Amino acid sequence: MDPELRPLWDECERAYPDFRNLWATMAHSPIVFRHVWGQLLALKRESPVLARHFEIVILVVSNATRCDYCVAHHTPRALGTGLTAAQVAYLETLDRGRLDEDEAFAVAHPSFDAADSLVVDLARFVVWAGLAPAAAGVHPRVVHRLRRRLFDRLAATFSPRQIEELVWRTTQCAAFNWHNDLLELDLEPEVTTAGRPR
């Protein structure tokens, strides 16, 4: 390993020891390792986004893409941010289902407050907009209209920085999911598919 990456490796060991298979794999590319994990650690330290909101988007996207690696790792993290077992179970039930043209993103999800519900909607929209419209023949104008409606609601609750970091982390999560699946990352020995330590 490049000696200049050693401090980042050590920080990953401290902050994300249970993700060792993921960051050690990414370390094969010094560029990927430096930029991806440097960014994740900076977001963890400096972002004004609540950790629970990051965990909500990660669980919605990871459940929708069926990434067992991320679900197993982020379930205990989500519980650690104050989400209840019932809330985490609800996030597992959300799928890549169709969004209606008249979706207002105004209904709170069961047991989530208004801000949490908007975060759930953002994650659902990102998954849907990225995977469903072209296959379902949804016109791009419908996607843009829904996006504007959702982002107007987000802007009433979150700052531009928070929205950017939520959107980035949500879309990045899908990339992680596909990365982990394509490289067939195994769970670390201390992690189970139920997201609980062995």
Side-chain angles (χ1 to χ4, degrees), residues 42-70:
L43 283 172
K44 183 179 178 74
R45 287 188 305 269
E46 303 165 24
S47 179
V49 174
L50 296 176
R52 76 185 272 119
H53 289 160
F54 281 138
E55 294 303 330
I56 287 170
V57 298
I58 291 167
L59 285 179
V60 170
V61 173
S62 297
N63 278 299
T65 62
R66 297 182 181 102
C67 179
D68 289 338
Y69 187 91
C70 287

PDB file of all heavy atoms in Angstrom, residues 42-70:
ATOM      1  N   ALA A  42     -15.180  12.278   5.825  1.00  0.00           N
ATOM      2  CA  ALA A  42     -15.438  13.720   5.980  1.00  0.00           C
ATOM      3  C   ALA A  42     -16.929  13.972   6.203  1.00  0.00           C
ATOM      4  O   ALA A  42     -17.306  14.796   7.046  1.00  0.00           O
ATOM      5  CB  ALA A  42     -14.933  14.489   4.762  1.00  0.00           C
ATOM      6  N   LEU A  43     -17.789  13.276   5.466  1.00  0.00           N
ATOM      7  CA  LEU A  43     -19.228  13.427   5.685  1.00  0.00           C
ATOM      8  C   LEU A  43     -19.609  13.006   7.100  1.00  0.00           C
ATOM      9  O   LEU A  43     -20.421  13.660   7.750  1.00  0.00           O
ATOM     10  CB  LEU A  43     -20.031  12.603   4.665  1.00  0.00           C
ATOM     11  CG  LEU A  43     -20.153  13.177   3.265  1.00  0.00           C
ATOM     12  CD1 LEU A  43     -20.800  12.161   2.326  1.00  0.00           C
ATOM     13  CD2 LEU A  43     -20.930  14.483   3.256  1.00  0.00           C
ATOM     14  N   LYS A  44     -19.031  11.928   7.567  1.00  0.00           N
ATOM     15  CA  LYS A  44     -19.320  11.453   8.924  1.00  0.00           C
ATOM     16  C   LYS A  44     -18.938  12.502   9.963  1.00  0.00           C
ATOM     17  O   LYS A  44     -19.660  12.731  10.927  1.00  0.00           O
ATOM     18  CB  LYS A  44     -18.568  10.142   9.170  1.00  0.00           C
ATOM     19  CG  LYS A  44     -18.834   9.495  10.516  1.00  0.00           C
ATOM     20  CD  LYS A  44     -18.054   8.189  10.622  1.00  0.00           C
ATOM     21  CE  LYS A  44     -18.228   7.510  11.943  1.00  0.00           C
ATOM     22  NZ  LYS A  44     -19.523   6.880  12.124  1.00  0.00           N
ATOM     23  N   ARG A  45     -17.813  13.189   9.752  1.00  0.00           N
ATOM     24  CA  ARG A  45     -17.326  14.190  10.711  1.00  0.00           C
ATOM     25  C   ARG A  45     -18.026  15.537  10.587  1.00  0.00           C
ATOM     26  O   ARG A  45     -18.260  16.200  11.590  1.00  0.00           O
ATOM     27  CB  ARG A  45     -15.824  14.427  10.506  1.00  0.00           C
ATOM     28  CG  ARG A  45     -14.906  13.334  10.967  1.00  0.00           C
ATOM     29  CD  ARG A  45     -13.438  13.779  10.877  1.00  0.00           C
ATOM     30  NE  ARG A  45     -13.063  14.249   9.545  1.00  0.00           N
ATOM     31  CZ  ARG A  45     -12.562  13.484   8.585  1.00  0.00           C
ATOM     32  NH1 ARG A  45     -12.360  12.205   8.801  1.00  0.00           N
ATOM     33  NH2 ARG A  45     -12.238  14.001   7.411  1.00  0.00           N
ATOM     34  N   GLU A  46     -18.315  15.961   9.347  1.00  0.00           N
ATOM     35  CA  GLU A  46     -18.658  17.358   9.113  1.00  0.00           C
ATOM     36  C   GLU A  46     -20.056  17.638   8.588  1.00  0.00           C
ATOM     37  O   GLU A  46     -20.473  18.793   8.546  1.00  0.00           O
ATOM     38  CB  GLU A  46     -17.652  17.956   8.111  1.00  0.00           C
ATOM     39  CG  GLU A  46     -16.213  17.842   8.543  1.00  0.00           C
ATOM     40  CD  GLU A  46     -15.242  18.103   7.394  1.00  0.00           C
ATOM     41  OE1 GLU A  46     -15.624  18.782   6.424  1.00  0.00           O
ATOM     42  OE2 GLU A  46     -14.110  17.606   7.476  1.00  0.00           O
ATOM     43  N   SER A  47     -20.794  16.650   8.150  1.00  0.00           N
ATOM     44  CA  SER A  47     -22.069  16.910   7.494  1.00  0.00           C
ATOM     45  C   SER A  47     -23.126  17.394   8.482  1.00  0.00           C
ATOM     46  O   SER A  47     -23.257  16.870   9.594  1.00  0.00           O
ATOM     47  CB  SER A  47     -22.596  15.650   6.806  1.00  0.00           C
ATOM     48  OG  SER A  47     -23.844  15.931   6.193  1.00  0.00           O
ATOM     49  N   PRO A  48     -23.950  18.390   8.056  1.00  0.00           N
ATOM     50  CA  PRO A  48     -25.078  18.812   8.884  1.00  0.00           C
ATOM     51  C   PRO A  48     -26.274  17.858   8.766  1.00  0.00           C
ATOM     52  O   PRO A  48     -27.284  18.045   9.447  1.00  0.00           O
ATOM     53  CB  PRO A  48     -25.424  20.201   8.321  1.00  0.00           C
ATOM     54  CG  PRO A  48     -25.012  20.138   6.889  1.00  0.00           C
ATOM     55  CD  PRO A  48     -23.800  19.244   6.865  1.00  0.00           C
ATOM     56  N   VAL A  49     -26.170  16.845   7.913  1.00  0.00           N
ATOM     57  CA  VAL A  49     -27.236  15.858   7.774  1.00  0.00           C
ATOM     58  C   VAL A  49     -27.181  14.918   8.977  1.00  0.00           C
ATOM     59  O   VAL A  49     -26.110  14.444   9.352  1.00  0.00           O
ATOM     60  CB  VAL A  49     -27.088  15.059   6.456  1.00  0.00           C
ATOM     61  CG1 VAL A  49     -28.111  13.932   6.368  1.00  0.00           C
ATOM     62  CG2 VAL A  49     -27.202  15.989   5.259  1.00  0.00           C
ATOM     63  N   LEU A  50     -28.352  14.666   9.563  1.00  0.00           N
ATOM     64  CA  LEU A  50     -28.403  13.733  10.688  1.00  0.00           C
ATOM     65  C   LEU A  50     -27.974  12.334  10.241  1.00  0.00           C
ATOM     66  O   LEU A  50     -28.345  11.886   9.144  1.00  0.00           O
ATOM     67  CB  LEU A  50     -29.821  13.646  11.244  1.00  0.00           C
ATOM     68  CG  LEU A  50     -30.417  14.911  11.851  1.00  0.00           C
ATOM     69  CD1 LEU A  50     -31.864  14.664  12.260  1.00  0.00           C
ATOM     70  CD2 LEU A  50     -29.590  15.361  13.048  1.00  0.00           C
ATOM     71  N   ALA A  51     -27.237  11.643  11.097  1.00  0.00           N
ATOM     72  CA  ALA A  51     -26.805  10.277  10.773  1.00  0.00           C
ATOM     73  C   ALA A  51     -28.014   9.387  10.480  1.00  0.00           C
ATOM     74  O   ALA A  51     -27.957   8.541   9.581  1.00  0.00           O
ATOM     75  CB  ALA A  51     -25.976   9.704  11.919  1.00  0.00           C
ATOM     76  N   ARG A  52     -29.109   9.585  11.192  1.00  0.00           N
ATOM     77  CA  ARG A  52     -30.301   8.753  10.958  1.00  0.00           C
ATOM     78  C   ARG A  52     -30.833   8.950   9.538  1.00  0.00           C
ATOM     79  O   ARG A  52     -31.327   8.023   8.923  1.00  0.00           O
ATOM     80  CB  ARG A  52     -31.376   8.987  12.008  1.00  0.00           C
ATOM     81  CG  ARG A  52     -32.152  10.264  11.845  1.00  0.00           C
ATOM     82  CD  ARG A  52     -33.142  10.545  12.973  1.00  0.00           C
ATOM     83  NE  ARG A  52     -34.433   9.943  12.737  1.00  0.00           N
ATOM     84  CZ  ARG A  52     -34.999   9.028  13.523  1.00  0.00           C
ATOM     85  NH1 ARG A  52     -34.388   8.599  14.605  1.00  0.00           N
ATOM     86  NH2 ARG A  52     -36.172   8.541  13.246  1.00  0.00           N
ATOM     87  N   HIS A  53     -30.703  10.179   8.995  1.00  0.00           N
ATOM     88  CA  HIS A  53     -31.179  10.415   7.630  1.00  0.00           C
ATOM     89  C   HIS A  53     -30.292   9.711   6.610  1.00  0.00           C
ATOM     90  O   HIS A  53     -30.804   9.152   5.626  1.00  0.00           O
ATOM     91  CB  HIS A  53     -31.291  11.915   7.348  1.00  0.00           C
ATOM     92  CG  HIS A  53     -32.424  12.542   8.085  1.00  0.00           C
ATOM     93  ND1 HIS A  53     -32.507  13.887   8.333  1.00  0.00           N
ATOM     94  CD2 HIS A  53     -33.546  12.001   8.655  1.00  0.00           C
ATOM     95  CE1 HIS A  53     -33.610  14.144   8.999  1.00  0.00           C
ATOM     96  NE2 HIS A  53     -34.245  13.013   9.208  1.00  0.00           N
ATOM     97  N   PHE A  54     -28.995   9.708   6.839  1.00  0.00           N
ATOM     98  CA  PHE A  54     -28.121   8.936   5.948  1.00  0.00           C
ATOM     99  C   PHE A  54     -28.481   7.452   6.027  1.00  0.00           C
ATOM    100  O   PHE A  54     -28.542   6.760   5.011  1.00  0.00           O
ATOM    101  CB  PHE A  54     -26.646   9.130   6.294  1.00  0.00           C
ATOM    102  CG  PHE A  54     -26.038  10.420   5.786  1.00  0.00           C
ATOM    103  CD1 PHE A  54     -25.191  11.160   6.592  1.00  0.00           C
ATOM    104  CD2 PHE A  54     -26.286  10.887   4.507  1.00  0.00           C
ATOM    105  CE1 PHE A  54     -24.604  12.338   6.136  1.00  0.00           C
ATOM    106  CE2 PHE A  54     -25.714  12.059   4.031  1.00  0.00           C
ATOM    107  CZ  PHE A  54     -24.864  12.794   4.852  1.00  0.00           C
ATOM    108  N   GLU A  55     -28.720   6.954   7.223  1.00  0.00           N
ATOM    109  CA  GLU A  55     -29.039   5.530   7.371  1.00  0.00           C
ATOM    110  C   GLU A  55     -30.384   5.188   6.737  1.00  0.00           C
ATOM    111  O   GLU A  55     -30.544   4.111   6.157  1.00  0.00           O
ATOM    112  CB  GLU A  55     -28.999   5.115   8.845  1.00  0.00           C
ATOM    113  CG  GLU A  55     -27.614   5.201   9.471  1.00  0.00           C
ATOM    114  CD  GLU A  55     -26.540   4.384   8.765  1.00  0.00           C
ATOM    115  OE1 GLU A  55     -26.857   3.335   8.166  1.00  0.00           O
ATOM    116  OE2 GLU A  55     -25.366   4.788   8.815  1.00  0.00           O
ATOM    117  N   ILE A  56     -31.347   6.096   6.802  1.00  0.00           N
ATOM    118  CA  ILE A  56     -32.642   5.856   6.152  1.00  0.00           C
ATOM    119  C   ILE A  56     -32.445   5.687   4.646  1.00  0.00           C
ATOM    120  O   ILE A  56     -32.934   4.716   4.057  1.00  0.00           O
ATOM    121  CB  ILE A  56     -33.646   6.994   6.455  1.00  0.00           C
ATOM    122  CG1 ILE A  56     -34.139   6.902   7.908  1.00  0.00           C
ATOM    123  CG2 ILE A  56     -34.834   6.948   5.491  1.00  0.00           C
ATOM    124  CD1 ILE A  56     -34.937   8.118   8.375  1.00  0.00           C
ATOM    125  N   VAL A  57     -31.731   6.620   4.004  1.00  0.00           N
ATOM    126  CA  VAL A  57     -31.571   6.505   2.543  1.00  0.00           C
ATOM    127  C   VAL A  57     -30.789   5.248   2.184  1.00  0.00           C
ATOM    128  O   VAL A  57     -31.117   4.578   1.197  1.00  0.00           O
ATOM    129  CB  VAL A  57     -30.940   7.764   1.890  1.00  0.00           C
ATOM    130  CG1 VAL A  57     -31.821   8.987   2.079  1.00  0.00           C
ATOM    131  CG2 VAL A  57     -29.545   8.036   2.346  1.00  0.00           C
ATOM    132  N   ILE A  58     -29.799   4.924   2.973  1.00  0.00           N
ATOM    133  CA  ILE A  58     -28.997   3.738   2.675  1.00  0.00           C
ATOM    134  C   ILE A  58     -29.843   2.474   2.777  1.00  0.00           C
ATOM    135  O   ILE A  58     -29.768   1.590   1.914  1.00  0.00           O
ATOM    136  CB  ILE A  58     -27.756   3.667   3.594  1.00  0.00           C
ATOM    137  CG1 ILE A  58     -26.781   4.796   3.229  1.00  0.00           C
ATOM    138  CG2 ILE A  58     -27.089   2.300   3.522  1.00  0.00           C
ATOM    139  CD1 ILE A  58     -25.686   5.034   4.252  1.00  0.00           C
ATOM    140  N   LEU A  59     -30.690   2.380   3.799  1.00  0.00           N
ATOM    141  CA  LEU A  59     -31.519   1.181   3.935  1.00  0.00           C
ATOM    142  C   LEU A  59     -32.602   1.107   2.865  1.00  0.00           C
ATOM    143  O   LEU A  59     -32.884   0.022   2.345  1.00  0.00           O
ATOM    144  CB  LEU A  59     -32.134   1.095   5.330  1.00  0.00           C
ATOM    145  CG  LEU A  59     -31.165   0.667   6.427  1.00  0.00           C
ATOM    146  CD1 LEU A  59     -31.862   0.644   7.783  1.00  0.00           C
ATOM    147  CD2 LEU A  59     -30.555  -0.693   6.120  1.00  0.00           C
ATOM    148  N   VAL A  60     -33.213   2.239   2.499  1.00  0.00           N
ATOM    149  CA  VAL A  60     -34.230   2.205   1.440  1.00  0.00           C
ATOM    150  C   VAL A  60     -33.601   1.734   0.133  1.00  0.00           C
ATOM    151  O   VAL A  60     -34.102   0.819  -0.527  1.00  0.00           O
ATOM    152  CB  VAL A  60     -34.908   3.584   1.265  1.00  0.00           C
ATOM    153  CG1 VAL A  60     -35.775   3.602   0.005  1.00  0.00           C
ATOM    154  CG2 VAL A  60     -35.757   3.931   2.489  1.00  0.00           C
ATOM    155  N   VAL A  61     -32.488   2.347  -0.249  1.00  0.00           N
ATOM    156  CA  VAL A  61     -31.840   1.995  -1.516  1.00  0.00           C
ATOM    157  C   VAL A  61     -31.300   0.558  -1.463  1.00  0.00           C
ATOM    158  O   VAL A  61     -31.502  -0.224  -2.400  1.00  0.00           O
ATOM    159  CB  VAL A  61     -30.719   2.992  -1.864  1.00  0.00           C
ATOM    160  CG1 VAL A  61     -29.933   2.538  -3.093  1.00  0.00           C
ATOM    161  CG2 VAL A  61     -31.291   4.384  -2.085  1.00  0.00           C
ATOM    162  N   SER A  62     -30.629   0.192  -0.393  1.00  0.00           N
ATOM    163  CA  SER A  62     -30.016  -1.140  -0.304  1.00  0.00           C
ATOM    164  C   SER A  62     -31.052  -2.251  -0.271  1.00  0.00           C
ATOM    165  O   SER A  62     -30.823  -3.334  -0.824  1.00  0.00           O
ATOM    166  CB  SER A  62     -29.107  -1.222   0.925  1.00  0.00           C
ATOM    167  OG  SER A  62     -28.048  -0.306   0.799  1.00  0.00           O
ATOM    168  N   ASN A  63     -32.196  -2.005   0.367  1.00  0.00           N
ATOM    169  CA  ASN A  63     -33.269  -2.999   0.327  1.00  0.00           C
ATOM    170  C   ASN A  63     -33.848  -3.105  -1.072  1.00  0.00           C
ATOM    171  O   ASN A  63     -34.120  -4.199  -1.561  1.00  0.00           O
ATOM    172  CB  ASN A  63     -34.365  -2.665   1.349  1.00  0.00           C
ATOM    173  CG  ASN A  63     -34.015  -3.148   2.743  1.00  0.00           C
ATOM    174  OD1 ASN A  63     -33.842  -4.337   2.964  1.00  0.00           O
ATOM    175  ND2 ASN A  63     -33.890  -2.234   3.676  1.00  0.00           N
ATOM    176  N   ALA A  64     -34.020  -1.957  -1.745  1.00  0.00           N
ATOM    177  CA  ALA A  64     -34.594  -1.972  -3.101  1.00  0.00           C
ATOM    178  C   ALA A  64     -33.674  -2.677  -4.099  1.00  0.00           C
ATOM    179  O   ALA A  64     -34.143  -3.369  -4.996  1.00  0.00           O
ATOM    180  CB  ALA A  64     -34.888  -0.556  -3.569  1.00  0.00           C
ATOM    181  N   THR A  65     -32.364  -2.509  -3.932  1.00  0.00           N
ATOM    182  CA  THR A  65     -31.417  -3.152  -4.856  1.00  0.00           C
ATOM    183  C   THR A  65     -30.980  -4.535  -4.362  1.00  0.00           C
ATOM    184  O   THR A  65     -30.179  -5.188  -5.006  1.00  0.00           O
ATOM    185  CB  THR A  65     -30.159  -2.285  -5.059  1.00  0.00           C
ATOM    186  OG1 THR A  65     -29.491  -2.130  -3.815  1.00  0.00           O
ATOM    187  CG2 THR A  65     -30.514  -0.930  -5.657  1.00  0.00           C
ATOM    188  N   ARG A  66     -31.487  -4.908  -3.213  1.00  0.00           N
ATOM    189  CA  ARG A  66     -31.212  -6.219  -2.603  1.00  0.00           C
ATOM    190  C   ARG A  66     -29.729  -6.439  -2.310  1.00  0.00           C
ATOM    191  O   ARG A  66     -29.170  -7.500  -2.583  1.00  0.00           O
ATOM    192  CB  ARG A  66     -31.762  -7.337  -3.486  1.00  0.00           C
ATOM    193  CG  ARG A  66     -33.262  -7.292  -3.639  1.00  0.00           C
ATOM    194  CD  ARG A  66     -33.773  -8.437  -4.487  1.00  0.00           C
ATOM    195  NE  ARG A  66     -35.215  -8.338  -4.639  1.00  0.00           N
ATOM    196  CZ  ARG A  66     -35.810  -7.883  -5.735  1.00  0.00           C
ATOM    197  NH1 ARG A  66     -35.098  -7.503  -6.765  1.00  0.00           N
ATOM    198  NH2 ARG A  66     -37.114  -7.824  -5.799  1.00  0.00           N
ATOM    199  N   CYS A  67     -29.104  -5.409  -1.765  1.00  0.00           N
ATOM    200  CA  CYS A  67     -27.691  -5.520  -1.401  1.00  0.00           C
ATOM    201  C   CYS A  67     -27.587  -6.008   0.049  1.00  0.00           C
ATOM    202  O   CYS A  67     -27.659  -5.225   0.996  1.00  0.00           O
ATOM    203  CB  CYS A  67     -26.982  -4.170  -1.555  1.00  0.00           C
ATOM    204  SG  CYS A  67     -25.222  -4.251  -1.097  1.00  0.00           S
ATOM    205  N   ASP A  68     -27.434  -7.311   0.207  1.00  0.00           N
ATOM    206  CA  ASP A  68     -27.351  -7.895   1.553  1.00  0.00           C
ATOM    207  C   ASP A  68     -26.173  -7.333   2.346  1.00  0.00           C
ATOM    208  O   ASP A  68     -26.258  -7.173   3.559  1.00  0.00           O
ATOM    209  CB  ASP A  68     -27.229  -9.420   1.473  1.00  0.00           C
ATOM    210  CG  ASP A  68     -28.518 -10.083   1.015  1.00  0.00           C
ATOM    211  OD1 ASP A  68     -29.594  -9.468   1.144  1.00  0.00           O
ATOM    212  OD2 ASP A  68     -28.436 -11.223   0.509  1.00  0.00           O
ATOM    213  N   TYR A  69     -25.076  -7.050   1.657  1.00  0.00           N
ATOM    214  CA  TYR A  69     -23.889  -6.519   2.340  1.00  0.00           C
ATOM    215  C   TYR A  69     -24.238  -5.218   3.053  1.00  0.00           C
ATOM    216  O   TYR A  69     -23.969  -5.057   4.244  1.00  0.00           O
ATOM    217  CB  TYR A  69     -22.751  -6.309   1.334  1.00  0.00           C
ATOM    218  CG  TYR A  69     -21.440  -5.923   1.983  1.00  0.00           C
ATOM    219  CD1 TYR A  69     -20.524  -6.894   2.367  1.00  0.00           C
ATOM    220  CD2 TYR A  69     -21.125  -4.584   2.226  1.00  0.00           C
ATOM    221  CE1 TYR A  69     -19.323  -6.548   2.966  1.00  0.00           C
ATOM    222  CE2 TYR A  69     -19.927  -4.229   2.830  1.00  0.00           C
ATOM    223  CZ  TYR A  69     -19.033  -5.207   3.198  1.00  0.00           C
ATOM    224  OH  TYR A  69     -17.851  -4.864   3.802  1.00  0.00           O
ATOM    225  N   CYS A  70     -24.862  -4.283   2.326  1.00  0.00           N
ATOM    226  CA  CYS A  70     -25.155  -2.980   2.931  1.00  0.00           C
ATOM    227  C   CYS A  70     -26.282  -3.066   3.951  1.00  0.00           C
ATOM    228  O   CYS A  70     -26.232  -2.403   4.995  1.00  0.00           O
ATOM    229  CB  CYS A  70     -25.479  -1.957   1.852  1.00  0.00           C
ATOM    230  SG  CYS A  70     -24.004  -1.460   0.924  1.00  0.00           S
TER     231      CYS A  70
END
